[in-house]
Amino acid sequence: MEQRPTSSRPFAAGAEWWRQAVVYQIYPRSFADSDGDGLGDLRGILSRVPYLASLGIDAVWLSPFYPSALVDGGYDVDDYRDVNPQLGTLADFDELTAGLHANGMKVIVDIVPNHTSNRHAWFREALAAPKGSPARDRYVFRDGLGPDGAQPPSDWPSLFGGPAWTRVPDGQWYLHLFAAEQPDLNWANREVRDDFLTTLRFWSDRGVDGFRVDVAHGLAKNLAEPLEPLPATPDPGGSPLPPGTHPFWDRDEVHGIYAEWRQVFDQYDPPRIGVAEAWVHPSRRPRYASPSGLGQAFNFDLLEANWTCGELLRVITDNLADAQRHGTSTTWVLSNHDVVRHATRYGLPAGDHVSSTETAKAWLHSGGAAPGLDRRLGIRRARAATLLMLALPGSAYLYQGEELGLHEVADIPAELREDPAFRRSGGAETGRDGCRVPLPWTVGGPSFGFSAGPAHLPQPAWFGPLSVEAAERDPASTLALYRQALGWRRKLQGPESLEWMPGTNGQVLHFGRPGGWRSVTNFGPGAVPLPHGNVVLASSPLHEGLLPANTTAWIIPGS
Ligand code: GLC
């Protein structure tokens, strides 16, 4: 049934390389460890460049590797223009960039502008400086409420639990929308803005091709006194907040910041790219993705959708229409370092009005006990979803380990959990460690080939059979499927358009791409006939010429 792709046309070339690129996300602490300390590092990634090249991806996105106490996995940055000594040096970074470039892969780094860490030189300076000083103005310091100022300045909550304000010894409070170790910057301060422009140039000059912008919908805040209270959540069915009016999320002023970033991006050839992590209403996303802004924004709709034909049809149609209207390309994401892996989400029972991400959180909270996880069904659907995603126009972001078919790890003992969301919420949120468990490279050995010693998060025994070593021996492995799919995608990719084909109904999604490439997914329950043509790839074996449930096939014209 399977034909091998025969050409490797470098379609990701020129200034627009990002539009349909496949980007592979590396979470550096958990990818590969070169020095045996149990923490992944840059030289570990360097040693795996041949593996990355073998996948057939266009770019690598590195989650933060900057100096950091790793309170929030590196999203608490001490210094934006250096490398965490536990993870390597700037020379290692240059070598890694050169190695990736030499193998035809671009490099995207993560930039974290909403907050620094509490160990950043600016924050230390702010703590040592008096109230009202220029050093405090780089952050958001305020007096508290109540007669002795002992109440936080506003009711704003931290996303990781508890209040978004922490008091300092002289009685003032500082804002942190995330952990207390992540003080929010004041983006109305010119020095803050200029310093980030310097950081963008620093990495661009080193050859970085683009930036993934963390919490891109934060940054701009309404800090006018008195601070606005948090808007009440509208009743179900009530009218939503007028766009751009929340005190700290998705305010219109944020786009002035990205317009300045764009000027820096465009000083390079090819222009550097930006991709916004903006958890905003879909109608607001295009502003982040505008050509005069960051250029691209993550669309998390696919990730949040349940495995149903109707939901996916809607998500695909809406997002393609939006991207086309606004001159950008769509992004697709099924997994990343913040969510339960998609193989697991799809193996859990779905409710009609409950998103798979919510069900997965409940499952995680139960330590993986309930509701029951059907691992085989999950991986079967995950493979089908990946083929469907990779056939869509636009760019696709993959997360390390999904190519091995890894499930989420649910049973990490509380004392070993690292995510601040777990600690700050008093355990109410289990957190994101389960998708950040270090990758298994070998069937056995200490930490399955990740490190010479134990890994910083414990790996379950079932990682061995899912290791790269095991997958490479198995032609039916998920790794083999990803490699074949990326090979075919490279060969078949054409202009960014999609046509719905006859046969799309409540059970089947069938679309065509320019040049006759078609993708058909059967959501079940029964097998369905395949459209005419040559099946070049299928996410699970066909059954007597029929497309079984929870399977995607790619078809090209043929006799
Ligand atoms: C983003 C990152 C997440 C981090 C948060 C705070 O959402 O993806 O991992 O915890 O920002 O920086």
Side-chain angles (χ1 to χ4, degrees), residues 217-218 220 243-245 248-252 254-255 280-281 284 288:
H217 56 309
T245 60
F248 47 84
W249 295 135
D250 191 28
R251 295 185 63 82
D252 292 342
V254 79
H255 300 291
V280 297
H281 188 272
R284 303 276 295 170
Y288 295 85

Side-chain angles (χ1 to χ4, degrees), residues 72 75 112 115 160 178 182 212 214-215 277 279 337-338 432 436:
D72 182 20
Y75 286 90
V112 188
H115 43 265
F160 289 157
F178 293 88
Q182 293 167 298
R212 177 261 186 192
D214 189 65
V215 196
E277 185 216 18
W279 294 87
H337 67 297
D338 288 331
R432 301 158 294 175
R436 299 174 177 183

Side-chain angles (χ1 to χ4, degrees), residues 113-116 122 138-140 183-187 192 196 221:
N114 183 68
H115 43 265
T116 68
W122 276 359
R138 296 184 189 119
Y139 293 90
V140 184
D184 279 47
L185 285 164
N186 171 17
W187 275 86
V192 168
F196 270 85
K221 285 149 195 141

Side-chain angles (χ1 to χ4, degrees), residues 46 62 91-103 105-107 109 203 206-209:
L46 185 63
L62 298 170
D92 294 335
F93 178 84
D94 292 341
E95 218 180 305
L96 176 58
T97 304
L100 290 166
H101 282 166
N103 283 277
M105 290 170 278
K106 309 265 191 211
V107 181
V109 297
W203 293 108
R206 292 196 106 85
V208 155
D209 303 279

